[in-house]
Amino acid sequence: MLNIGGLNEGVVIDHIKAGGAMKIYEYLNLEKQDCSVAIIKNAKSSKMGKKDIIKIEGPITLDLDILGVLDPNLTLDIIKAGKIVEKRNPNLPVQVTGIIRCKNPRCITSVEQELSHRFRLASKEKGLYRCIYCEQAYKR
Amino acid sequence: MKHVISPLDLSMEELSDILSLAENILHDPKKYFGCCYGKKLATLFYEPSTRTRLSFEAAMLNLGGSVLGFSSADSSSAAKGESVSDTIRVVSSYADICAMRHPKEGAPYVASIHSSIPVINAGDGGHNHPTQTLTDLFTIKTLKGHLDHLTIGFCGDLKFGRTVHSLIGAMVRYPNSRFVLISPDELRIPTYLREEVLEANNIPYQETKALEEVMPELDILYMTRVQKERFFNEEDYIRLKDSFILDAAKMQYAREDMLILHPLPRVNEIASEVDDDPRAVYFKQAELGVYVRMALIMTLLGITVE
Ligand SMILES: [Zn+2]
């Protein structure tokens, strides 16, 4: 049984933009992972109004920093032996390949299917990614 | 090996060298004839752009080199579904340098990754067109004598006009540039350009809808075409296209030494009565484009003339 209040070992992905939890659930392929997952939607947040939270119980081997590409404002609470041992924002990767897709209909990736969709971090402060081919900003 | 995909791929020093070389060629073109003998330029044009293609071909022929290529996607292997990366691998073994025009943004960049010869972006969708920017800079440098301390007015479609975006990006690198942006509300410059380029570098600029009012302040007036294909409906196009037409009446307000530039082709945004005005330099600009392309080709091929 997953104890929603406190995890023994795992991660709490907090401050997810309201409505964004399922996208992250799907991206991490949590359905296939051997761990218990609790998704809390529309939780009240003093900072954000509403937010989503995902709690994952179990040893985490996933690359969680990549989640910053999907939502740069989320936070990661790493929990070991019932305690938060680390609380941080994701370190935004400088370049990401195959995680997000360029939506610009004029981009070369729209016609050449075998090209990998690749983005580079253009602004760390804004969590802004640009397509390396057409330079269009990725809109979440 | 160096490719030129974006105007900012050239450092200020490289840019200055290319502009000086273009100036030397302009003053003594005979001296450079034949310096690219035996070299081949491939013009890979996936969409027609006769003006740009001819300018590249004239540049290579002036240097004594030869040209090969295609001028539309349906006459090329692209029609059979070949990828840009496969095409450039093959072309790399036929030619020494290539100029690529493609309707899709980023295609010349893809080519540069897989190419063993220098790739020059000859225009990719609404994205980059670095040799147009070089042409604009060379025109200003040649006719004004300098690229700093200039007030440049841009008029027309500033939202989709890639030549405008690129030239602003290039001019902010020179000291004391100032911009006057003249457009209808619907066609103002994109937010990223305002925030990430102008405001981030503390560059003075002004946005207005009244061309006559700002005319006396300008050193350069860069006119652009309001392209029909940028609009979703005919009505918007017809309503906006005539709003910003330059005619002899408006030219009365301009300084004696103001220059009118235009990337061409022109539709009706500059009345033909303006053509005879000595300040109208857009045809000269097209001519100067050949010299700056000669300088770029020589530089990328590593060819020098003593
Ligand atoms: Zn793209």
Side-chain angles (χ1 to χ4, degrees), chain B residues 241-257:
Chain B
K241 76 175 165 122
D242 292 342
S243 324
F244 297 84
I245 288 178
L246 181 64
D247 54 20
K250 290 197 186 83
M251 280 305 290
Q252 289 179 49
Y253 302 102
R255 284 188 200 156
E256 282 302 303
D257 61 349

Side-chain angles (χ1 to χ4, degrees), chain A residues 44-51:
Chain A
K44 285 207 171 62
S45 159
S46 50
K47 263 191 284 179
M48 307 166 67
K50 277 178 179 178
K51 65 176 181 179

Side-chain angles (χ1 to χ4, degrees), chain B residues 10 25 32 95 114 117 185 195 273 292:
Chain B
L10 297 167
I25 301 173
Y32 296 85
H114 302 280
I117 59 173
D185 280 336
E195 291 176 359
E273 65 192 17
V292 84

Side-chain angles (χ1 to χ4, degrees), chain B residues 23-260:
Chain B
E23 196 180 339
N24 292 339
I25 301 173
L26 175 67
H27 290 135
D28 190 3
K30 279 202 184 75
K31 187 175 151 192
Y32 296 85
F33 184 80
C35 74
C36 286
Y37 179 76
K39 299 287 184 190
K40 282 173 285 196
L41 165 76
T43 49
L44 312 179
F45 276 51
Y46 288 82
E47 67 177 0
S49 173
T50 311
R51 187 180 312 274
T52 304
R53 188 170 54 84
L54 293 184
S55 179
F56 269 105
E57 296 188 355
M60 193 54 166
L61 296 173
N62 285 346
L63 296 169
S66 13
V67 294
L68 67 166
F70 51 85
S71 55
S72 73
D74 40 278
S75 65
S76 77
S77 49
K80 300 191 190 99
E82 188 176 59
S83 67
V84 165
S85 56
D86 282 3
T87 301
I88 194 69
R89 281 192 185 100
V90 175
V91 169
S92 287
S93 64
Y94 298 158
D96 302 283
I97 186 167
C98 96
M100 177 181 285
R101 174 90 166 199
H102 202 291
K104 292 294 177 184
E105 299 169 8
Y109 174 67
V110 171
S112 72
I113 298 170
H114 302 280
S115 178
S116 55
I117 59 173
V119 175
I120 303 170
N121 181 1
D124 60 335
H127 186 213
N128 281 319
H129 191 2
T131 57
Q132 180 64 52
T133 308
L134 281 175
T135 300
D136 298 339
L137 293 174
F138 185 50
T139 304
I140 297 171
K141 173 100 190 299
T142 305
L143 302 176
K144 274 279 172 206
H146 57 98
L147 288 162
D148 51 358
H149 294 81
L150 290 172
T151 296
I152 306 146
F154 288 93
C155 179
D157 176 359
L158 309 189
K159 184 176 184 181
F160 298 103
R162 65 176 168 197
T163 54
V164 172
H165 307 163
S166 295
L167 187 55
I168 291 175
M171 291 302 295
V172 298
R173 302 204 283 178
Y174 296 94
N176 293 305
S177 291
R178 189 178 154 250
F179 301 99
V180 181
L181 308 167
I182 310 137
S183 74
D185 280 336
E186 292 86 342
L187 296 175
R188 288 170 64 197
I189 59 162
T191 314
Y192 85 89
L193 200 62
R194 193 176 305 121
E195 291 176 359
E196 294 172 32
V197 179
L198 295 175
E199 285 166 9
N201 293 297
N202 286 316
I203 307 292
Y205 73 96
Q206 174 193 348
E207 293 188 276
T208 179
K209 279 176 258 182
L211 178 55
E212 298 97 312
E213 280 175 24
V214 293
M215 203 74 146
E217 304 167 27
L218 307 178
D219 296 306
I220 309 282
L221 173 59
Y222 197 99
M223 294 294 297
T224 61
R225 180 160 58 115
V226 176
Q227 292 189 62
K228 198 173 180 173
E229 56 267 34
R230 301 297 186 204
F231 288 88
F232 291 110
N233 67 68
E234 187 91 15
E235 230 170 85
D236 282 357
Y237 171 71
I238 291 169
R239 185 170 55 85
L240 292 171
K241 76 175 165 122
D242 292 342
S243 324
F244 297 84
I245 288 178
L246 181 64
D247 54 20
K250 290 197 186 83
M251 280 305 290
Q252 289 179 49
Y253 302 102
R255 284 188 200 156
E256 282 302 303
D257 61 349
M258 188 194 80
L259 301 177
I260 311 162

